[in-house]
Amino acid sequence: MAKKKQSGKTTKKQKRVVTQGIVHILSTFNNTIVNVTDMQGNTLVWESGGTVGFKGTRKSTPYAAQLAAQKAIKRAMQEYGLQEVEVVIKGAGAGRESALKAVHASGIKITKIRDATPIPHNGCRPPARRRV
């Protein structure tokens, strides 16, 4: 005799509650990406200038970065119950400051701000000098 399938009974997946997290802000010259992770670095929510609705050169504006940060923090607070964050800023784009201000203005507690912009320690070999 074959077993009956249970129909209609679906167990809803429980959303985990994450009270502490890290907000990674990657600000390039073309876009700003805001990634909210847990303390281990597993991504919870991410937004960028493009996902907020901007295209082309408008993605790299401070306003697009501000909207992306607001949306990411709001989603993380609603879906995961995020309460306090560390902020890691990387890159030299226009959206650095405005994204940080948006995180601060969202009402979430900021415990640490760290700049992780990569700096070359002597870097690549420059091209040869022009001879005219």
Side-chain angles (χ1 to χ4, degrees):
M1 196 156 96
K3 284 189 177 183
K4 270 191 174 178
K5 274 190 178 178
Q6 286 185 349
S7 61
K9 288 187 177 182
T10 56
T11 56
K12 190 174 180 186
K13 187 178 176 187
Q14 191 74 355
K15 276 280 188 183
R16 59 193 180 112
V17 177
V18 179
T19 56
Q20 290 182 319
I22 306 171
V23 176
H24 299 271
I25 300 170
L26 173 62
S27 180
T28 66
F29 294 115
N30 295 318
N31 204 351
T32 302
I33 300 169
V34 180
N35 188 7
V36 182
T37 67
D38 59 11
M39 295 307 282
Q40 286 74 39
N42 303 314
T43 299
L44 305 173
V45 175
W46 69 273
E47 294 290 334
S48 70
T51 60
V52 175
F54 292 94
K55 287 184 177 180
T57 56
R58 292 194 299 272
K59 285 195 300 187
S60 59
T61 60
Y63 182 63
Q66 177 185 342
L67 289 184
Q70 283 175 351
K71 193 172 175 185
I73 293 295
K74 189 175 179 183
R75 274 184 56 200
M77 288 170 76
Q78 286 175 347
E79 293 178 18
Y80 295 95
L82 201 66
Q83 292 173 355
E84 59 180 49
V85 294
E86 297 176 6
V87 180
V88 178
I89 303 175
K90 191 182 251 189
R96 284 171 59 106
E97 302 301 319
S98 58
L100 180 61
K101 285 181 183 176
V103 171
H104 179 69
S106 68
I108 206 161
K109 184 181 176 191
I110 298 176
T111 56
K112 190 193 311 186
I113 300 173
R114 185 167 72 101
D115 189 352
T117 305
I119 299 168
H121 295 273
N122 238 1
C124 303
R125 183 176 172 165
R129 241 183 103 234
R130 249 181 104 223
R131 293 188 286 249
V132 181

